[in-house]
Amino acid sequence: MDLDKYRELYLSESREHLSRMRGLLEDLLKGSGIESVHDLFRHAHSLKGMAASMGFTATGDLAHSLENLFDLWRKGAPPLRAQVEAALRASDALDALLDAVRDTASDEPAAPAAAAAAEDLRAPDEPDTPASRPASPAAASPAPPPSPEAPGAVRLSVSIDGASALPAARVLVVAQKVREVFPGARMEPDLAALQKANGRQVQFHLPEDPRVRDLARTVETLPEVA
């Protein structure tokens, strides 16, 4: 029962992000909404983080591909029509992935279509408008964060209050906050193992970074985090 409620939370929040993302992409296709590219990135980043926390690899990979595209746009590359259409097709694939999780508790049934959508996003830009141009070196994807296994890495330990009815759901919220700052953060145990053991303690492996202290303060303010 806890797993069902937990999955419902994931699906509800993911569909909300997906709905808003699709609306922004449709605005771009109409020639407006360019000021919303930062919101597009945020929605893709949230979808990636939630999927990673749940262990839904296909969903996380596709959301990551979208995130990379939106990062180019927010750094100044013009959103080409072919790219926006590919992103909309990817949003349809994400919808199918969420349907698969709803029906089977796994995103694997929709993984092949998701992989094709991700490849479509990585295809070379089509010169479909007079303003189209190759992305500049400054628009390249940012370097990955330092590996949490590197020397000097730190651990952020989190405990969920014993009175919490859905500790795994609380961990999902914490994981989202952590991955907003450190997208590559590794969590032990993962959510599937935590749910199975009905655990309430988790550790995040983070790079040595001054932002860790501020992140810890933020996590401490979350409900039911002891």
Side-chain angles (χ1 to χ4, degrees), residues 15-187:
R15 289 197 190 280
E16 180 67 22
H17 284 292
L18 182 57
S19 175
R20 294 183 180 182
M21 178 196 297
R22 185 178 284 126
L24 293 172
L25 288 169
E26 289 171 350
D27 287 343
L28 278 177
L29 205 56
K30 296 172 186 175
S32 62
I34 187 63
E35 69 280 356
S36 300
V37 292
H38 290 279
D39 290 332
L40 280 169
F41 180 87
R42 179 173 57 83
H43 291 309
H45 183 73
S46 295
L47 284 165
K48 182 186 76 172
M50 289 188 295
S53 297
M54 290 285 289
F56 297 136
T57 303
T59 306
D61 288 348
L62 181 52
H64 183 57
S65 295
L66 279 166
E67 183 185 49
N68 286 341
L69 175 61
F70 299 157
D71 190 43
L72 292 178
W73 295 352
R74 70 175 185 162
K75 290 182 176 179
L80 303 180
R81 184 177 185 86
Q83 292 175 323
V84 178
E85 290 174 343
L88 278 167
R89 290 192 293 274
S91 74
D92 291 338
L94 282 170
D95 204 21
L97 288 162
L98 294 175
D99 284 345
V101 171
R102 178 198 63 199
D103 296 338
T104 70
S106 170
D107 63 357
E108 284 303 311
E119 189 63 32
D120 192 18
L121 289 169
R122 289 190 288 269
D125 296 344
E126 297 178 15
D128 56 355
T129 71
S132 66
R133 56 180 172 78
S136 66
S141 297
S147 168
E149 297 299 325
V154 298
R155 288 179 294 176
L156 176 65
S157 298
V158 177
S159 296
I160 303 303
D161 194 292
S164 176
L166 290 172
R170 293 301 181 188
V171 170
L172 175 59
V173 174
V174 173
Q176 285 180 256
K177 291 292 183 184
V178 171
R179 286 177 173 142
E180 285 175 5
V181 183
F182 300 106
R186 181 167 60 86
M187 184 175 74

